[in-house]
Amino acid sequence: MNLQAMNANVRYPYSAASLANLEGVRPELVLLAFKLAEIVDCKIVSGVRTTAEQAAKFAEGLTTKDGYEQKSAHQVRDDGYGWALDILPLPKGVNMYLDDGSEDNIRWGQFDGLVHGLAHGMGIEVMTGFKWRSTMMESLERPERENTLPDGNHIQFVRKV
């Protein structure tokens, strides 16, 4: 996959650091990231993580997966790809950890809907950290209190549909 060529053809090109963070990520998620870049300016915060990087995030309390006993979707799987990426819509300063009906929370809800809509159009199912649900029906069925670690910028490949 030629990331530079793909980047040259989007409305909001990614920085070199963002492109580097897409290396090793499952191709469907890379394509999704470029579809997002047609609509909104984004930054790829994280892609594939080593076990040590995942363990460090766990130690900081930023994830529930330690990287050893519980693998993260950011870690390389048997197919040779990381199955998750963290993407931040710009401008900076939007708080992804609020769940209080604030304007920031509404923006994250809109971004989450955009991600799921684009993924559906691509024929893939993703789970996002905004609500940790992979479908709208699951969102309606699960109590809000089950959203224990909000991570609005997390997109995780689930399956092709």
Side-chain angles (χ1 to χ4, degrees):
M1 195 171 269
N2 186 336
L3 299 180
Q4 294 292 342
M6 293 171 72
N7 204 39
N9 294 310
V10 294
R11 182 174 181 187
Y12 300 104
Y14 288 110
S15 68
S18 287
L19 290 176
N21 285 333
L22 287 173
E23 292 289 340
V25 172
R26 192 160 167 108
E28 296 91 341
L29 287 180
V30 172
L31 291 174
L32 177 58
F34 281 104
K35 285 189 178 291
L36 285 164
E38 286 293 330
I39 301 165
V40 62
D41 195 5
C42 296
K43 173 183 179 177
I44 307 298
V45 179
S46 181
V48 174
R49 293 184 192 147
T50 65
T51 302
E53 289 168 334
Q54 185 63 32
K57 295 267 185 200
F58 180 74
E60 292 177 49
L62 299 174
T63 180
T64 60
K65 309 289 184 189
D66 66 5
Y68 296 99
E69 295 292 321
Q70 295 180 314
K71 299 286 186 180
S72 163
H74 284 280
Q75 293 174 273
V76 174
R77 299 228 176 146
D78 291 340
D79 65 357
Y81 296 106
W83 279 35
L85 60 85
D86 291 342
I87 186 168
L88 185 64
L90 301 173
K92 295 180 182 178
V94 176
N95 187 341
M96 73 189 100
Y97 298 105
L98 294 178
D99 196 9
D100 61 0
S102 68
E103 186 176 343
D104 285 349
N105 190 245
I106 291 167
R107 287 183 187 146
W108 274 107
Q110 292 169 334
F111 184 72
D112 188 66
L114 176 62
V115 168
H116 281 282
L118 290 174
H120 178 77
M122 294 172 59
I124 62 172
E125 184 179 329
V126 297
M127 179 178 292
T128 58
F130 178 69
K131 296 289 183 194
W132 290 111
R133 280 103 165 130
S134 57
T135 66
M136 182 59 76
M137 290 309 294
E138 184 184 2
S139 186
L140 294 171
E141 293 166 0
R142 273 174 64 188
E144 191 58 37
R145 65 184 171 278
E146 290 184 16
N147 186 26
T148 57
L149 185 65
D151 188 9
N153 64 348
H154 179 88
I155 304 171
Q156 181 174 318
F157 178 80
V158 175
R159 65 185 175 102
K160 293 181 182 180
V161 290

